[in-house]
Amino acid sequence: MIRMSLRQFRIQALVGAVLLILAAIYLIHLGSDIRAARDTSRLPGQYGQTMLFLAAGFGLVPALIGAFWGAPLIARELESGTHRLVWNQSVPRRRWLAVKLMVLGLTSMAVAGTLSALLTWAAAPVDQAAGDRFSAILFGARGIAPIGYAAFGFTFGAVTGLLVRRTLPAMALVFLAVIAVQFAVPNLLRPHFMPAEQVTVPMSADAINQARSLGSITGGPVVGGLEIPDAWVTNTSKLLTPDGRQLSDTAFNECFNNAPKTGATGTFGDTAACLGKLDLHVDMAYQPNRRFWPFQLIELALYLGLSALLAAVGLWRIQRRVS
């Protein structure tokens, strides 16, 4: 069974091996260039965009594994009817599916783990200089969590193919669904893996000028992009007055649109100076960088648990409903 599964998978394995080798060559070269830089403080500016691009690209790997390795695995057999030949040779259905999931699932995890290890090594000096590997995009391309993503993508693809029984629809569905899950987990679940630390930050004119954005589409008292050193900011309140109430839209818009001309410099100039005189503050929730590995373990366990649940559903389904 294992040998037959590998033979059926040889084309996909060959393509994956070639792409993995090319990625490894590039990442080793990139890591060597980064380590050759003399001024490490300039690394985030030189390679920050490259790291974001690589992390976003590697974020597609689980979806590609699910769509091109997982979805056709069973759906193609059901479409062509070759599953009946195997079952007529006294091979139990559950064993047939379990072997396929085990062999090719472990292969998917090995590929993702190798890519993650290489990127983690290549990006280490940049991450250290920037103090940032906890953000939503970068976190998913570092450490051991990508192993769980690959396991989930592959298992979800295989079970979806079993249920849909058509290769192309299953591939499209799996690709979109895995991307949706990878978007939802960092935004909805990851910030709550552990209780966030809380801090109150006074909003002086200098502090406001350090923000990336000010105001919202509706004109609300929102300040965005505030950072805490060595931490991932998960939530920032609206601008608050000394008594803890939200600054009124009227007061905010007055400073935003009609701030007195003082000649103040900085990103937001006179607006920041006007708001700075109101003794405002924001409440911020954050996850310190020291929690990176606990979060990695939690996310790995989450995705492996989902994979095991999906595999159980597939084993139940193939025994009772598939003919």
Side-chain angles (χ1 to χ4, degrees), residues 8 70-87 93 96-97 100 157-168 170 314 317-319 321-323:
Q8 291 178 320
L73 185 69
I74 311 300
R76 185 172 51 201
E77 299 266 15
L78 297 176
E79 277 186 315
S80 62
T82 54
H83 64 291
R84 296 189 182 93
L85 176 63
V86 178
W87 294 347
R93 298 181 182 190
W96 176 75
L97 178 59
K100 284 180 174 291
V159 174
T160 301
L162 173 65
L163 299 176
V164 175
R165 305 179 67 133
R166 294 291 183 269
T167 302
L168 291 180
R317 176 76 178 187
I318 202 170
Q319 183 67 25
R321 300 293 179 88
V322 178
S323 62

Side-chain angles (χ1 to χ4, degrees), residues 133-250:
R133 57 176 178 173
F134 218 150
S135 62
I137 297 178
L138 297 182
F139 181 90
R142 304 285 193 273
I144 57 178
I147 298 174
Y149 306 159
F152 169 76
F154 173 78
T155 310
F156 181 75
V159 174
T160 301
L162 173 65
L163 299 176
V164 175
R165 305 179 67 133
R166 294 291 183 269
T167 302
L168 291 180
M171 292 175 67
L173 177 61
V174 168
F175 186 82
L176 295 176
V178 172
I179 290 178
V181 170
Q182 288 189 283
F183 177 81
V185 169
N187 291 281
L188 301 179
L189 297 182
R190 188 183 298 159
H192 309 291
F193 285 168
M194 298 177 69
E197 301 284 342
Q198 304 287 335
V199 66
T200 296
V201 180
M203 285 289 97
S204 64
D206 288 340
I208 293 173
N209 280 323
Q210 293 175 12
R212 294 195 185 100
S213 63
L214 187 62
S216 64
I217 297 177
T218 59
V222 177
V223 58
L226 292 175
E227 296 181 353
I228 296 176
D230 299 320
W232 172 38
V233 176
T234 58
N235 185 63
T236 302
S237 71
K238 293 185 177 182
L239 290 169
L240 304 175
T241 59
D243 60 2
R245 297 182 180 182
Q246 178 182 313
L247 180 67
S248 69
D249 291 354
T250 301

